[in-house]
Amino acid sequence: MSDAVSLLEGLGLVGTALRRHSSSGISSTARSLQKDSAFCLFLGLSTLGFFHRTSSESLSLKKLRSQLALQGNPLPRAASKNHKATSSRQKKIDSQQFWKELQWLLGVAAPTATSKGGQLMAAQFVLLVMRTMITVRCTKLNTYFLTRAISKASWSDWTKWVYSFTGWMAASTVVNSGLRYMESVIALELRQKLTERAHRKYLLNNAFYRLAVLRHGNLGTVDQRIVSDIDAFSREAASLYGHSFKPILEFFLSLHEASKELGMGRPIALFASQFFIGATLRGLTPSLGKMVALEQELEGNFRSGHSRLIASAEEVAFLKGSEAERALLDESLHRLIGTQRWHALKRIRKSIVDNITKFQGLLIGGCFVHVPFLARKSAEAAERISDFRATEELMLRCGSAFSEIMLLGKSLDELAGYTSRIVEMFRALETPPPARDAASLALATRTANEAKTKDAIVITNLTVHQPSPDGTEPRVLITGLNLTVPKGRHVIVTGPNGCGKTSLFRVLAGLWLPVEGAVAVPAGKRMLWLPQSSYLVTGTLRDQVTYPDRPTSSRSTDEKIADCLEKVGLKKLCKPSSDDALGLGVRHHDWNDVLSGGEKQRVSFARLLYHKPEYAILDEATAAINPEEESKLYEMVLGVGTTVFSIAHRLELRKFHTTELHVVGDGSGTFKLSELRNTLDWM
Ligand SMILES: Nc1ncnc2c1ncn2[C@@H]1O[C@H](COP(=O)(O)OP(=O)(O)OP(=O)(O)O)[C@@H](O)[C@H]1O
């Protein structure tokens, strides 16, 4: 459609020029040209001034940094790296890397030509060819035939033009709408395939924990990359696909048509000169890829600040922390906006270079075409004008297509920003955790087999350190622990805050790798974790109890769930209705907001009673429940035959355990194991 509009605009301009020429005569046109030249000179000088301003070092980061420093917002380090001039060699290496990464990402979305993505791209290609053919056809129609009709004052030629023009415009409308539709469908396909792959990897082997908590890969906000960067990449890539084929096709088709009149020598000389000028101008533009990557990073930080406030809304409200939170959010916002402002300034420089590239192409291309027609004295005037207009228009299209091809590099640069962030994420997701030495691996395998055969938790020669992502000396939490927990051996872990009790459980869950030794636990759903802060899933009351299972609702399952809820004192949460007799379908926007601390822990116990695992790992799982009720819950758990491995600060809970593991927590990794035989009389 935009082509149709530009064609009509073009016709309007031709009409205006003809009118001006015929009504005012040469002298008034010359006067108007003089005025135009003065105006152009003024504009050109202003542009040069601005260009100088944006590229001058004095205004660059130093000034922005000092502005931000005044607001307490120093510019992120990445921006200063970004500002440093990169050598042409470095740029070349980056672009090679980009093509590899882009190819890999597109391969994920369209692995073969017959895949859905491949088919969509093929269909888009057909539409692109059709649109270009229509554009070339319309150009010829509007220039040659229309000019001829007007110069001969021929009504019949003009009527033919009206018919043809209407037909081609109808075809153009259909094809352009199809192209736009295909572009959005391709973007959606890219987004879906890349996000699905990200989800698969992110939720495999607790990769989300490694990335979010242990900061593997130093990715910052991973959610921003999955939710926003993939979306932006998909849109950009789909749009670029359409916009890169259009000028390439248009260039060759227009060149083919124009060469009939001009021969091939002139166009080749023209485009060789254009290539040289384009390459020189390209060196003056900033690196958009890095700018985009930095902006996305800061966007992610800003968004995660808001998410954190929502997640801890009650705590912040109790602590009257609104002012502090506002300052933190504003700080993050200022960092983002400051960087975007600076980038907007740099983008103007890019836009100026883009326009110069485009206009010089039109100007030089025009001159190449004028010469042979100025030299052609013999032909009849009407014929010469028609030929000239048709050839000029084709060459102008050809030149503008060539400029667009030269400018594609810059659009690709922007795409490179998203590409590098997404590939970096996939690299971190798909890189396995650091490999262990052969001896430790052999020990881990032997220990795992032992656990399978013995149906026990087996801890062999275990040493655990606190992780240190920043490379500082890690603190030793536990050294040389050997412990086997067969069924019926209930272990309580005690020790001061921060001594490493939960860390031991993290190693059992495979979230942290031991520095030495090995742990093995019964596989699959034979173990259930009840963490310090209960996890409540998005969904119904039924979902809270059955998590992580999602069984289809049936009478017997619902009765079992309702029974578990009753046992832990949460029957009151059920809201029976005519189509939900047991009231398990009740749903809240966020269960964390509507349940008290003790109720959340009871939900975890209902989950435990529902799953009846062989082993339960209880990490201060009754800390928010009163001591009397706490004992009842423990009795229930032991009553269903579950062996417990608990962390507890209340010593009364010792009576439910047979072994105590006391971690000293003095940084030496010392611990003490003792049997608690006297306390088991009640069992
Ligand atoms: N992801 C992490 N990265 C770095 N250090 C961590 C991480 N998680 C925990 N730690 C540190 O490891 C140490 C042991 O933590 P852990 O959670 O095991 O303590 P704990 O004994 O369970 O304490 P509490 O009784 O207070 O729950 C603490 O000093 C803690 O700061």
Side-chain angles (χ1 to χ4, degrees), residues 424-574:
E424 191 182 31
M425 175 188 74
F426 275 117
R427 226 174 257 139
L429 283 175
E430 300 187 13
T431 310
R436 308 199 37 207
D437 60 73
S440 297
L441 266 182
L443 177 62
T445 317
R446 212 171 47 242
T447 314
N449 290 337
E450 213 176 317
K452 250 184 242 160
T453 49
K454 284 191 180 166
D455 280 343
I457 294 174
V458 184
I459 301 172
T460 316
N461 192 28
L462 181 72
T463 297
V464 182
H465 287 183
Q466 176 186 348
S468 96
D470 55 0
T472 51
E473 185 65 23
R475 201 157 66 90
V476 182
L477 300 174
I478 293 171
T479 317
L481 173 64
N482 285 294
L483 175 66
T484 301
V485 187
K487 274 188 213 157
R489 187 180 187 187
H490 308 285
V491 182
I492 183 167
V493 189
T494 57
N497 291 129
C499 69
K501 301 181 295 293
T502 305
S503 304
L504 173 64
F505 287 0
R506 291 182 186 119
V507 174
L508 287 181
L511 301 180
W512 289 11
L513 275 185
V515 177
E516 250 182 78
V519 296
V521 296
K525 294 187 177 164
R526 292 161 69 195
M527 277 183 83
L528 188 76
W529 258 265
L530 271 69
Q532 250 176 45
S533 53
S534 309
Y535 177 67
L536 300 170
V537 67
T538 307
T540 60
L541 181 57
R542 182 187 294 107
D543 297 329
Q544 309 310 317
V545 179
T546 61
Y547 188 83
D549 290 353
R550 301 177 75 187
T552 45
S553 171
S554 71
R555 184 77 199 171
S556 63
T557 312
D558 282 1
E559 278 170 359
K560 187 175 157 190
I561 296 169
D563 184 45
C564 295
L565 284 168
E566 188 163 11
K567 280 183 180 151
V568 300
L570 289 182
K571 190 77 184 167
K572 60 185 177 188
L573 297 181
C574 304

Side-chain angles (χ1 to χ4, degrees), residues 36-62:
D36 286 356
S37 312
F39 180 65
C40 288
L41 190 67
F42 168 72
L43 262 187
L45 288 175
S46 326
T47 305
L48 279 175
F50 180 80
F51 196 90
H52 174 71
R53 199 174 122 83
T54 58
S55 58
S56 90
E57 279 297 319
S58 60
L59 182 89
S60 69
L61 285 187
K62 274 186 210 158

Side-chain angles (χ1 to χ4, degrees), residues 175-449:
V175 170
N176 279 324
S177 310
L179 273 173
R180 205 148 290 177
Y181 168 73
M182 290 304 293
E183 186 177 311
S184 33
V185 176
I186 289 174
L188 290 174
E189 180 68 11
L190 280 171
R191 185 180 185 186
Q192 186 183 344
K193 287 290 177 319
L194 288 171
T195 312
E196 279 173 357
R197 185 184 176 103
H199 283 172
R200 272 201 305 281
K201 303 290 176 186
Y202 192 49
L203 293 149
L204 184 75
N205 296 331
N206 299 320
F208 55 90
Y209 180 85
R210 272 193 291 125
L211 265 53
V213 180
L214 301 179
R215 319 296 292 173
H216 280 182
N218 265 331
L219 292 184
T221 47
V222 189
D223 54 343
Q224 173 76 8
R225 297 189 193 227
I226 297 180
V227 176
S228 177
D229 289 8
I230 291 185
D231 179 37
F233 165 84
S234 307
R235 286 168 195 270
E236 197 77 30
S239 144
L240 204 72
Y241 178 64
H243 291 104
S244 58
F245 271 104
K246 177 183 172 265
I248 292 170
L249 284 172
E250 206 168 290
F251 174 73
F252 285 110
L253 287 175
S254 306
L255 187 64
H256 172 72
E257 290 290 328
S259 67
K260 288 178 189 166
E261 202 57 53
L262 294 173
M264 279 311 274
R266 266 167 205 286
I268 286 172
L270 170 64
F271 293 116
S273 70
Q274 286 300 293
F275 182 78
F276 178 73
I277 295 170
T280 312
L281 287 174
R282 188 168 146 63
L284 299 174
T285 55
S287 161
L288 291 185
K290 287 182 182 172
M291 281 159 52
V292 166
L294 178 62
E295 281 175 19
Q296 287 301 104
E297 185 66 46
L298 295 176
E299 254 334 321
N301 292 346
F302 181 50
R303 208 173 63 170
S304 82
H306 272 286
S307 309
R308 214 190 45 239
L309 178 60
I310 292 171
S312 313
E314 190 169 282
E315 288 83 351
V316 174
F318 270 129
L319 288 166
K320 302 196 174 15
S322 316
E323 264 309 299
E325 292 299 321
R326 190 191 57 73
L328 281 172
L329 288 174
D330 279 354
E331 206 172 290
S332 181
L333 173 74
H334 292 158
R335 200 166 289 145
L336 171 67
I337 300 285
T339 306
Q340 283 178 332
R341 268 202 198 114
W342 168 240
H343 286 177
L345 210 59
K346 286 173 103 179
R347 281 195 172 95
I348 292 190
R349 213 168 97 195
K350 173 190 175 295
S351 165
I352 291 173
V353 172
D354 286 358
N355 279 294
I356 293 175
T357 309
K358 209 162 183 161
F359 290 135
Q360 65 78 27
L362 293 176
L363 181 71
I364 298 177
C367 295
F368 265 80
V369 182
H370 301 160
V371 175
F373 288 96
L374 282 171
R376 197 191 289 180
K377 308 272 185 216
S378 55
E380 189 198 329
E383 198 61 32
R384 187 168 67 233
I385 290 169
S386 307
D387 283 345
F388 165 68
R389 287 282 299 120
T391 315
E392 184 200 35
E393 195 63 36
L394 283 168
M395 279 306 285
L396 287 179
R397 278 207 170 271
C398 204
S400 110
F402 188 78
S403 306
E404 277 180 52
I405 296 169
M406 295 297 295
L407 295 174
L408 277 180
K410 296 191 190 74
S411 309
L412 284 170
D413 210 10
E414 201 143 343
L415 185 69
Y418 297 116
T419 307
S420 72
R421 277 176 59 82
I422 298 170
V423 171
E424 191 182 31
M425 175 188 74
F426 275 117
R427 226 174 257 139
L429 283 175
E430 300 187 13
T431 310
R436 308 199 37 207
D437 60 73
S440 297
L441 266 182
L443 177 62
T445 317
R446 212 171 47 242
T447 314
N449 290 337

